[in-house]
Structure formats: structure tokens, C-alpha cells
Amino acid sequence: MQIGILGVGAIGQLLAQQLAAAGLEPWLLPRVLPTANTLPLAQQGEEHVYTLELGDQSLQTSFLCLAQDSSKLKQLDLLLVTVKAYQVEAALEPVLPRLHPNCRILLLHNGLGPHQSLAAKLNDRPLSLGTTSQAALRLSSNHIRQTGSGLTQIGDLIGAPMPEVMKTALLNAIPGSQWSNAILEALWQKLAVNAVINPLTAIHRVNNGALAAPEFEGTICAILDELLQVAKQEGIALTFDVLHARVKEVIRLTAANYSSMYQDLKHGRKTEIDYINGYLQQRAEQYGLTLPINSELLAQIKALEPHG
């Protein structure tokens, strides 16, 4: 079984290291070809050493890095896509025609939305989805530090079921991972966490733990109430108590962390708001629903994003 990883950011590198430690030897496909200002990773057939800091250990692993027009892409059985939600379609576009028709795509990103627009372009290619609560900090182009462990869930969306051998290999390689037969429900639970923590920490410029303060409780409850209205229309079975407990648990477990949206705004990058609160807004409009709290958070983040 040959696995590729498209997008070699913090999570992509972390998964690569975990798969390599299990003997799976993934190939890496950097999303953007190198320029004079970046590390020359993407020359076809080149190997490059990546470093993972895990506690007081430092692990160095050599990976084969492929250009996006590599003939080796035809050999992939599974392609993990770990780019940002708004990069998924553009990143996959040059790669898809070069993959074997049976190569499975597994999307791993925050938020929801790309799976719907992508499905029509896959020509019956199998598509799986996943979500992870693992966290890593990118220290340089080929150096990361794992900053948090957590649950990773994977499940099938369309096409042929994932073969048992592939499923077993992934679950054995990725710590704290599990298979989900209701992956959309799992992703909506993660969407609830992101819809609360990401915009609130980014707007108020605080770490995740700050959201445990009583002043945020009313807003948190309102966000979840609005999300549940949309989920009900989508046929996703969720309850307020379960979501509220999940959000509170993540706030507690990641108290010292700064959300990805906070980090994106801090570094002048575009956020994934369109695929988190923006996705809720889009789906709500389809059902004639209004989400005043969600709309306000969306507007505030869009105002803080870099323009141009």
C-alpha cells in the first residue's frame, strides 16, 4: 500500500512521521513548488529529512518528495489531503488526473464544505473524510513540534468502502484514531468546537483556556443553539448537552493553545472561517434560517482578515 500526503504543513508532517514510524513510508507532495525563498523540497524523486520534536525527543525521518506532475502518483493507493479547507480544490486539481482511478482521497481539514463541491469532480473515485484533534507547531519548512495529542476519526463518504487492510494500517499508525461509520456526524461535532473556539479566540486575542470564563458562556450557548438549528435541517442527529460538554472539554484540554484562526490572523493569513461559521451561514440560507450570533462572528473575522 502506497500513501501520499498532499500539503506538508504541521499536520501533514505529523501524520507523515506517524505513518513512517509504523513502517508505511508515505510520499510527500508539497502543495506549492519551491521558489528561491523556500526550501527545495519538491523536486521529483528527491528525499528530504523532516524533524519532529515530541516531548524531549527529536525524531528525524527521510521522506520521498514528489512534484505534482510525477509519474509516481499513479502508484498511490491513498492520498491524504492536509491543506487548509480553502486550498483543497486548487491543490487537488493538478494531481487528480495523474492518480489511479481507484486511488482513495482522504480529506483532513477544519470545517466543512469542500467534500460537497469536490464530489462531482471525482468520477466515482472513493472519498473518505477525517478530523483530528492532534496539534503541531511548524517551526520551519521541515521541522515541527507536536503540541497536543487527541482523537482522530476517519470514515467513508462516497464510493467503495475503504479496504480493511488500509483501514487497519491507518488506525494502527495514527495514535488515538478510530473508525466512524457516521463521519458526517463526527465532523459536525468538530464543526461545533471550531465554530466556538476559533472565532472567539481570534476576535478576543486569547488562548483557548480563556473561553472558560463566565463572560463567554452566553455566546457559546448561542453559537451551539444556532448550529443545532442547521444540523437538524441537514439530518444530523446532535444534542445541545453533548456539544456543550465537548466544547468545554476541548477548551479545558487545549487551554494553553492558541487556535488556528488566532494564529492565521496573527500572521496575516487568510482564515478558514468560510468553512466553519461561513459554512453554517451558507447552509442556513438554504433553509431560510437566520443565525444572528454566527453572522456577527463571521463579519468580525472577515473584517480582520487580510484584504487583497
Side-chain angles (χ1 to χ4, degrees):
M1 181 174 65
Q2 187 59 59
I3 298 174
I5 299 178
L6 175 60
V8 194
I11 292 298
Q13 289 186 45
L14 179 60
L15 291 171
Q17 294 278 7
Q18 291 170 343
L19 294 174
L24 295 175
E25 299 184 2
W27 295 341
L28 306 187
L29 288 79
R31 187 178 58 85
V32 179
L33 291 173
T35 68
N37 298 320
T38 63
L39 207 59
L41 302 179
Q43 296 303 315
Q44 180 173 334
E46 277 194 2
E47 290 204 355
H48 197 88
V49 175
Y50 286 76
T51 302
L52 166 65
E53 291 183 18
L54 184 58
D56 56 0
Q57 295 182 315
S58 183
L59 177 67
Q60 292 190 320
T61 308
S62 181
F63 293 98
L64 185 68
C65 293
L66 302 180
Q68 294 186 1
D69 60 355
S70 170
S71 59
K72 284 182 172 290
L73 294 178
K74 212 72 169 180
Q75 299 176 36
L76 293 178
D77 300 294
L78 172 67
L79 181 63
L80 273 64
V81 182
T82 60
V83 299
K84 296 278 193 178
Y86 57 81
Q87 298 168 332
V88 167
E89 288 189 75
L92 272 173
E93 187 175 357
V95 174
L96 275 177
R98 302 181 182 278
L99 299 175
H100 190 278
N102 294 328
C103 177
R104 177 175 300 275
I105 307 295
L106 171 55
L107 302 183
L108 279 161
H109 57 73
N110 278 335
L112 282 170
H115 68 288
Q116 292 171 316
S117 52
L118 188 63
K121 303 178 182 180
L122 292 180
N123 297 320
D124 298 322
R125 184 186 302 281
L127 177 64
S128 299
L129 304 179
T131 177
T132 185
S133 297
Q134 296 194 92
L137 177 65
R138 192 175 185 185
L139 302 176
S140 71
S141 295
N142 63 332
H143 188 178
I144 64 167
R145 177 187 301 128
Q146 184 167 8
T147 56
S149 57
L151 177 66
T152 298
Q153 293 172 289
I154 299 168
D156 290 331
L157 184 68
I158 57 175
M162 183 179 288
E164 286 300 320
V165 63
M166 183 180 292
K167 185 188 300 186
T168 300
L170 285 177
L171 297 182
N172 286 342
I174 303 171
S177 58
Q178 63 179 218
W179 185 258
S180 173
N181 289 319
I183 191 61
L184 279 179
E185 182 178 312
L187 289 173
W188 271 83
Q189 290 186 19
K190 180 67 179 294
L191 184 69
V193 172
N194 283 330
V196 169
I197 293 177
N198 273 286
L200 290 180
T201 55
I203 291 166
H204 295 279
R205 301 182 183 181
V206 295
N207 62 17
N208 294 0
L211 300 185
E215 66 195 84
F216 291 105
E217 182 63 16
T219 304
I220 290 172
C221 292
I223 294 169
L224 296 180
D225 281 335
E226 291 185 356
L227 179 141
L228 283 166
Q229 293 178 48
V230 183
K232 182 179 179 181
Q233 295 295 325
E234 294 272 295
I236 305 294
L238 299 172
T239 66
F240 178 87
D241 288 344
V242 168
L243 289 186
H244 188 258
R246 176 85 182 271
V247 169
K248 289 293 190 178
E249 180 186 33
V250 173
I251 288 172
R252 179 178 61 83
L253 292 175
T254 64
N257 292 1
Y258 289 88
S259 73
S260 58
M261 196 170 290
Y262 173 102
Q263 297 283 357
D264 285 339
L265 289 182
K266 180 181 177 181
H267 293 100
R269 298 189 296 252
K270 183 178 178 179
T271 75
E272 293 179 289
I273 192 71
D274 288 333
Y275 298 89
I276 302 175
N277 304 80
Y279 181 77
L280 286 176
Q281 187 71 19
Q282 175 208 341
R283 301 310 298 162
E285 289 172 359
Q286 297 291 315
Y287 301 113
L289 298 173
T290 56
L291 311 179
I293 301 298
N294 188 76
S295 299
E296 178 59 28
L297 294 174
L298 178 61
Q300 289 185 58
I301 294 295
K302 298 299 276 186
L304 292 170
E305 278 189 333
H307 299 284

